[in-house]
Amino acid sequence: MPQISRFRDHLGSLFPTDRFFALAGGVAFASALGFWYAPLYYLAVAGGVALLGWTILDGYRLSGADRWLAATRRPPAVFSLGDSLDVSIELDHSGDRKLSLTVYDELPEQLQLRDEALHLELSPGESVRVRYPLRPTTRGVYRFGDLNLFVRQGAQLLERRVIVPQRQEVAVYPSIVGLKQFSLLGPTLASPGGKRRPRPVTKSYEFDQIKEYVRGDDLRNVNWKASARRGQPMVNTYEEERAQRIYSFIDKGRTMLMPFDGLSLLDHAINASLSLSQVVLSRGDRAGLLTFSDKLGDFLPADNRPDQLRRILDLLYRQREREGESDYDLLYHASRRFLPSRSLLLLFTNFESTYALDRVLPVLLRLNRQHVVVVILFENTEITALTEGPTSDAAAVYLKHTARRYLQERQLMALRIHRKGIKVVLTRPEELTGAVINRYLELKGRGI
């Protein structure tokens, strides 16, 4: 009974190849011509018998394919969102005949790839490693299925399907590749001449003590009440600290769902926030995070403890977009509650129109009075491409004019925010990480 069951499974795993159907079609065509020319009929019968014999022989030779072949998939430990990483498959052939092989990997459903195949040939006793790239565009757990090996040999009239169980799960985190790239911006601040430049020292807004006035003290710090009580000038002193608090505020609302280069604006912002946090921590500052939409999301206080980057990475990994309108009043109250001292806030958001900006601008102004706010806006690269296309007819002229008006409106929005005293970055999604890090380094270099 086990042999009968094995034989049944073997037959169920055999499939005719294209070569078999081509030869069978030739036999059928010759048989049809035999009605007019009799020798062709006998030739077709002989060809049919030969085809049947070679097919049976191929099926017999493939009976041990599942014992000859061993396959192992080796994906990366984690995938990097938006970055292409290689998945390798190791194949070992212990048989004594040359094989032709087609490998179909059951890829995660998020990729929506069903026809990717690897074609190769294996000599007896050969071991090979083949690679193929994967670029995930969503965060989460990616589940791989089994490896399907379609084996052919001899006349290659049949192929046998060998299923190798290889179910695996791999997490897709925010861009680890980008994190390593920007980690090259080391902790040293060097001038173009190569000499070490001292860090700018700025005052925190945390009160330290009241002391007697001495020549050289800042007159703006005179404490008049204490001076009246003591009958001599007294001044407030504040802690001087090098580690500044840098927060990434990430909007998860509806306007951040727009896709560019396969990633949503939210994912672009998440990748940029992770790389920014790496640079912030390497420069000795404190990195923090806050996410919001119509509801308050996650909050991580700014810190520079050794595991802070890992905490930021795990928090960013869990973020999910929401389809509601973002509540900026809620963001303002959250900043009053969670941020006790003055900080640098980098706000990743997107405004669809000047009307949307008008509703939010009063909140940004209040926020900017208590902190240093940098608003990061996105350019629509697809609309920019429309302005570069040909204008062959009136419809194309109208489309290009509309695209230019939209781009001008984005630039005017950025200019309006800047004139209100709020710093702004207007950048392409693919250039976001570099633009944000450059602005942070610029503000730090100026001691703001």
Side-chain angles (χ1 to χ4, degrees):
M1 291 298 292
Q3 294 181 350
I4 296 177
S5 177
R6 177 175 175 80
F7 178 70
R8 187 179 303 165
D9 293 339
H10 174 61
L11 289 180
S13 63
L14 294 175
F15 301 91
T17 64
D18 293 340
R19 180 178 296 182
F20 172 86
F21 287 111
L23 293 176
V27 169
F29 182 71
S31 177
L33 292 180
F35 284 99
W36 291 276
Y37 186 64
L40 286 179
Y41 174 76
Y42 297 105
L43 181 62
V45 172
V49 172
L51 178 63
L52 179 61
W54 277 109
T55 302
I56 294 174
L57 181 60
D58 268 3
Y60 172 75
R61 288 177 172 176
L62 291 172
S63 59
D66 55 340
R67 299 191 301 272
W68 305 333
L69 285 172
T72 305
R73 181 199 304 113
R74 298 192 184 279
V78 294
F79 280 111
S80 178
L81 179 65
D83 299 312
S84 181
L85 294 177
D86 286 342
V87 176
S88 64
I89 298 177
E90 297 177 357
L91 298 163
D92 297 318
H93 175 31
S94 59
D96 56 0
R97 294 187 181 94
K98 185 177 181 179
L99 298 179
S100 295
L101 197 65
T102 302
V103 181
Y104 290 93
D105 196 355
E106 295 181 2
L107 300 176
E109 60 180 6
Q110 294 95 325
L111 299 172
Q112 291 299 304
L113 297 174
R114 297 292 182 268
D115 55 352
E116 299 294 320
L118 301 172
H119 305 278
L120 63 154
E121 293 185 353
L122 292 179
S123 300
E126 184 179 7
S127 297
V128 299
R129 174 181 291 182
V130 293
R131 294 180 174 87
Y132 64 90
L134 282 185
R135 180 178 180 267
T137 56
T138 57
R139 285 166 287 110
V141 177
Y142 279 41
R143 294 178 174 84
F144 288 84
D146 299 327
L147 288 173
N148 296 270
L149 312 180
F150 287 85
V151 187
R152 302 174 299 278
Q153 70 169 16
Q156 298 189 14
L157 299 175
L158 292 177
E159 61 182 2
R160 182 177 177 182
R161 177 185 180 184
V162 178
I163 301 177
V164 181
Q166 286 286 295
R167 297 186 179 274
Q168 292 172 291
E169 293 185 353
V170 183
V172 177
Y173 278 87
S175 181
I176 307 295
V177 173
L179 183 66
K180 294 179 179 179
Q181 175 186 355
F182 287 99
S183 66
L184 298 177
L185 298 173
T188 60
L189 287 171
S191 62
K195 297 180 179 179
R196 184 173 178 83
R197 184 175 65 210
R199 294 180 183 271
V201 178
T202 59
K203 290 185 178 179
S204 75
Y205 285 81
E206 295 182 0
F207 176 77
D208 183 18
Q209 62 177 344
I210 301 175
K211 72 179 187 67
E212 296 181 2
Y213 172 83
V214 295
R215 182 181 295 273
D217 286 341
D218 192 344
L219 294 177
R220 292 174 296 181
N221 295 332
V222 172
N223 188 320
W224 299 106
K225 291 183 178 180
S227 300
R229 288 196 301 267
R230 296 291 298 271
Q232 59 180 346
M234 305 292 292
V235 294
N236 296 330
T237 60
Y238 299 88
E239 292 181 356
E240 291 183 350
E241 60 178 21
R242 298 173 182 267
Q244 305 299 313
R245 295 173 178 84
I246 315 298
Y247 280 93
S248 296
F249 281 13
I250 302 178
D251 183 356
K252 301 191 300 180
R254 176 183 59 83
T255 59
M256 297 291 284
L257 303 182
M258 298 176 61
F260 291 95
D261 194 25
L263 301 180
S264 67
L265 292 182
L266 174 60
D267 286 326
H268 281 291
I270 285 175
N271 284 346
S273 299
L274 180 62
S275 298
L276 172 66
S277 299
Q278 160 73 18
V279 175
V280 167
L281 294 172
S282 69
R283 298 280 172 162
D285 287 332
R286 304 174 184 178
L289 188 69
L290 186 145
T291 64
F292 71 101
S293 57
D294 55 330
K295 296 182 179 180
L296 190 62
D298 294 299
F299 173 71
L300 181 64
D303 206 337
N304 53 9
R305 53 192 296 179
D307 65 339
Q308 183 72 355
L309 189 62
R310 166 56 64 180
R311 298 169 68 192
I312 292 174
L313 177 62
D314 292 338
L315 191 147
L316 290 173
Y317 170 74
R318 299 195 302 267
Q319 299 308 307
R320 294 293 179 265
E321 62 275 0
R322 297 180 63 87
E323 297 182 356
E325 294 289 342
S326 297
D327 188 343
Y328 280 82
D329 289 319
L330 180 64
L331 174 65
Y332 175 75
H333 291 296
S335 68
R336 292 292 302 271
R337 177 183 177 184
F338 296 127
L339 277 60
S341 60
R342 190 170 178 83
S343 307
L344 173 61
L345 312 180
L346 294 110
L347 174 60
F348 297 86
T349 188
N350 187 40
F351 301 120
E352 293 181 331
S353 63
T354 55
Y355 173 74
L357 175 60
D358 290 339
R359 291 188 294 112
V360 173
L361 195 54
V363 179
L364 297 180
L365 291 174
R366 281 186 290 164
L367 199 60
N368 195 55
R369 296 190 192 104
Q370 302 170 7
H371 306 278
V372 179
V373 178
V374 180
V375 178
I376 294 99
L377 301 178
F378 297 88
E379 292 183 4
N380 193 318
T381 53
E382 296 181 0
I383 293 182
T384 303
L386 293 178
T387 63
E388 302 171 354
T391 53
S392 56
D393 52 20
V397 173
Y398 176 79
L399 184 62
K400 179 176 289 190
H401 174 70
T402 304
R404 285 178 176 173
R405 287 194 60 182
Y406 177 84
L407 296 177
Q408 291 175 355
E409 183 181 18
R410 301 291 294 177
Q411 295 172 354
L412 290 175
M413 289 167 60
L415 181 60
R416 184 177 176 190
I417 295 174
H418 176 71
R419 287 179 174 174
K420 293 292 185 179
I422 303 174
K423 296 167 179 59
V424 63
V425 174
L426 179 60
T427 181
R428 296 169 175 262
E430 62 270 19
E431 300 171 357
L432 173 64
T433 302
V436 171
I437 292 177
N438 286 338
R439 177 52 64 94
Y440 157 70
L441 295 176
E442 174 194 349
L443 297 177
K444 185 173 180 64
R446 291 163 53 189
I448 298 180

